[in-house]
Amino acid sequence: MTVVEAFDPNEIRLTDNAVRKVRTLVEDEENPNLKLRVFISGGGCSGFQYGFTFDENTADDDMVVEKGGVVAVIDSMSFQYLVGSEVDYTEGLEGSRFIINNPNAVTTCGCGASFSV
């Protein structure tokens, strides 16, 4: 019997691929204090665009997601648009990149880097 942990739709989830890639990038930088910061900003072809950076700091209003020793942080403004989303990492013909599977997005652009709600 396999037990599957239920995903809380009020949270953000990191896939195993995302965890592996973040871990590798943090190790390459030789800075264990780095966290993946996931955010949204205005712009892109669909209205909002996803952003990813590394940050050593965590603000008081950040949502913190931990999995497999990897930490991701999301500011409260971005979190409201990302709640229930999944952060993944993919490698393919379009290149290697982090992607967001966002159930709140009404439309997305062709590359998946921007969305509207």
Side-chain angles (χ1 to χ4, degrees), residues 38-74:
V38 181
F39 62 93
I40 61 153
S41 58
C45 24
S46 294
F48 293 108
Q49 60 188 4
Y50 301 112
F52 305 92
T53 189
F54 282 94
D55 196 341
E56 290 182 329
N57 302 310
T58 304
D60 290 339
D61 66 339
D62 280 344
M63 164 70 171
V64 177
V65 178
E66 296 183 51
K67 180 177 178 182
V70 164
V71 177
V73 293
I74 303 100

Side-chain angles (χ1 to χ4, degrees), residues 4-116:
V4 178
E5 201 172 296
F7 174 57
D8 184 342
N10 296 315
E11 295 180 2
I12 295 173
R13 188 171 78 87
L14 300 174
T15 66
D16 292 340
N17 285 340
V19 168
R20 277 191 293 276
K21 187 60 177 180
V22 170
R23 184 180 299 122
T24 299
L25 292 170
V26 169
E27 288 171 358
D28 289 349
E29 290 297 316
E30 299 179 355
N31 183 350
N33 297 319
L34 290 176
K35 302 159 190 60
L36 178 66
R37 180 164 293 281
V38 181
F39 62 93
I40 61 153
S41 58
C45 24
S46 294
F48 293 108
Q49 60 188 4
Y50 301 112
F52 305 92
T53 189
F54 282 94
D55 196 341
E56 290 182 329
N57 302 310
T58 304
D60 290 339
D61 66 339
D62 280 344
M63 164 70 171
V64 177
V65 178
E66 296 183 51
K67 180 177 178 182
V70 164
V71 177
V73 293
I74 303 100
D75 64 90
S76 61
M77 178 73 153
S78 297
F79 182 77
Q80 66 183 329
Y81 296 103
L82 297 172
V83 66
S85 295
E86 176 183 77
V87 178
D88 196 6
Y89 181 79
T90 185
E91 295 179 6
L93 294 175
E94 295 175 352
S96 303
R97 62 192 173 116
F98 287 100
I99 59 171
I100 303 277
N101 297 313
N102 187 345
N104 305 304
V106 175
T107 60
T108 60
C109 67
C111 68
S114 68
F115 70 102
S116 67

